[in-house]
Amino acid sequence: MIEEHFEALCTALERTSCYAPNIRRWGRDLAGVLDNGGRLLACGNGGSAAEAQHLTGELVGRFRNERRPLSAIALHADTSAGTAIVNDYGETELFARQVRAHGRPDDVLILLSTSGTSQNVVAAAKAARDIGVTTWAMTGPAPNPLAALCDDAVSVEAPSTATVQEVHLVLVHSLCSALDDALGIPT
């Protein structure tokens, strides 16, 4: 079973390698956004929330080498706002309401969903589009509603949620590396 999991992960990584130019471009574009005073917003549910928070932690802290802190917010991490939103507006509005509160034109929202069908993540993408926030998705197999809705998407072809999440972590670290390269941070 473990060997099969390793094999599935290797296969998924190989299939996903075609997205390297996308991730490199995301890094360059995000560097421009952050250099111009913009921010990154990120969201997801469950394991995807953990990946989103991992990404924002790498930006506010550092990835490999020292650099200035970068503005990045994991939308699920504000539990008081999140529980109030879910209580007052319903779970579908969890991220969308925060996007409308924190997002500004030319900011970037990264949405993570292994299925690409999570209603609250799809609603966040719609809210971002409405206010001029760029949307990038990391999803599981395409086609899916989230990938179709976003400005760009990396869809991981893998047989299990676990493998999709593991590849998403590789993509998160690849984006951090591309961003640092674009910012001129030595690797």
Side-chain angles (χ1 to χ4, degrees):
M1 188 65 163
I2 293 172
E3 289 80 9
E4 290 173 6
H5 182 79
F6 288 172
E7 186 176 319
L9 180 57
C10 288
T11 300
L13 283 168
E14 187 176 316
R15 288 179 182 154
T16 307
S17 67
C18 68
Y19 288 107
N22 299 59
I23 299 300
R24 198 171 291 110
R25 186 179 68 256
W26 290 9
R28 286 191 307 268
D29 292 352
L30 186 56
V33 166
L34 296 170
D35 276 344
N36 288 319
R39 75 190 79 186
L40 171 77
L41 306 175
C43 68
N45 295 298
S48 295
E51 302 290 3
Q53 193 164 348
H54 189 114
L55 173 60
T56 61
E58 300 283 24
L59 271 58
V60 174
R62 64 184 163 117
F63 178 54
R64 288 195 179 116
N65 294 313
E66 200 57 46
R67 62 154 156 69
R68 67 183 170 89
L70 304 171
S71 183
I73 302 169
L75 298 178
H76 68 278
D78 186 347
T79 55
S80 295
T83 56
I85 292 165
V86 169
N87 186 62
D88 295 344
Y89 301 97
E91 63 189 40
T92 301
E93 282 295 304
L94 172 62
F95 302 128
R97 191 157 179 88
Q98 292 181 78
V99 166
R100 290 191 287 281
H102 299 299
R104 302 292 178 263
D106 302 320
D107 285 349
V108 173
L109 171 64
I110 293 186
L111 307 111
L112 293 98
S113 173
T114 58
S115 68
T117 62
S118 301
Q119 290 182 351
N120 57 3
V121 177
V122 170
K126 290 177 183 174
R129 183 183 59 203
D130 291 346
I131 63 172
V133 170
T134 298
T135 53
W136 300 330
M138 294 182 190
T139 72
N144 63 67
L146 183 60
L149 183 63
C150 288
D151 295 307
D152 198 11
V154 174
S155 298
V156 176
E157 296 294 327
S160 73
T161 298
T163 303
V164 171
Q165 289 173 340
E166 290 158 352
V167 174
H168 283 177
L169 180 57
V170 172
L171 293 168
V172 162
H173 283 161
S174 298
L175 175 57
C176 291
S177 181
L179 173 61
D180 280 0
D181 286 349
L183 292 172
I185 307 301
T187 53

